């Protein structure tokens, strides 16, 4: 029965806190939850590999598109950023892990760079 006394004490404490009027309503700006972090913003945008033959677009909404130079779509899905690592999950269920090192995004056997940067080879 010890638990019952503790529970009753907490209930009384919570009731007195509400009654004191010293607390105010909790304000949460839900819009901030959808804002990309600094690490995510650094990764967003277009990355190119294989002399421009493969393009990877990391979108602000956490989605990605991987296309060929011809415009043919290869993969679509979602991604998450954790520091220098990127976790990809395709709409088909395929998963991959990428990592950035000195401006190069390594994803499987591809090396992606920003357009105009040095070669990904």
């Amino acid at each position: 029965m010890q638990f019952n006394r503790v529970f009753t004490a907490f209930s009384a404490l919570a009731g007195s806190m509400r009654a004191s009027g010293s607390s105010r309503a909790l304000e949460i700006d839900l819009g901030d939850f959808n804002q990309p972090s600094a690490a995510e913003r650094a990764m967003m945008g277009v990355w190119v590999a294989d002399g421009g033959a493969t393009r990877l677009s990391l979108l602000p909404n956490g989605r990605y598109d991987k296309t060929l130079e011809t415009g043919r779509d290869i993969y679509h899905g979602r991604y998450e950023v954790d520091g220098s690592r990127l976790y990809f999950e395709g709409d088909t269920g395929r998963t991959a892990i990428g990592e950035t090192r000195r401006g190069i995004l390594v994803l499987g056997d591809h090396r992606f760079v920003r357009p105009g940067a040095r070669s990904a080879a």
Side-chain angles (χ1 to χ4, degrees), residues 6 15 73 78 106:
V6 171
D73 293 332
R78 64 181 195 89
V106 179

Side-chain angles (χ1 to χ4, degrees), residues 4-72:
N4 192 19
R5 281 189 255 169
V6 171
F7 184 71
T8 303
F10 276 127
S11 296
L13 178 63
S16 68
M17 291 174 74
R18 279 194 300 268
S20 70
S22 63
S23 64
R24 60 175 214 186
L26 181 62
E27 297 175 13
I28 299 175
D29 185 5
L30 294 177
D32 288 343
F33 288 116
N34 296 328
Q35 298 299 320
S37 69
E40 290 170 325
R41 284 192 304 274
M43 300 295 175
M44 281 186 226
V46 176
W47 296 79
V48 295
D50 304 327
T54 307
R55 300 174 68 84
L56 179 67
S57 299
L58 302 179
L59 307 172
N61 62 356
R63 301 280 299 166
Y64 74 89
D65 294 317
K66 189 174 179 183
T67 58
L68 294 177
E69 182 179 33
T70 60
R72 189 178 78 112

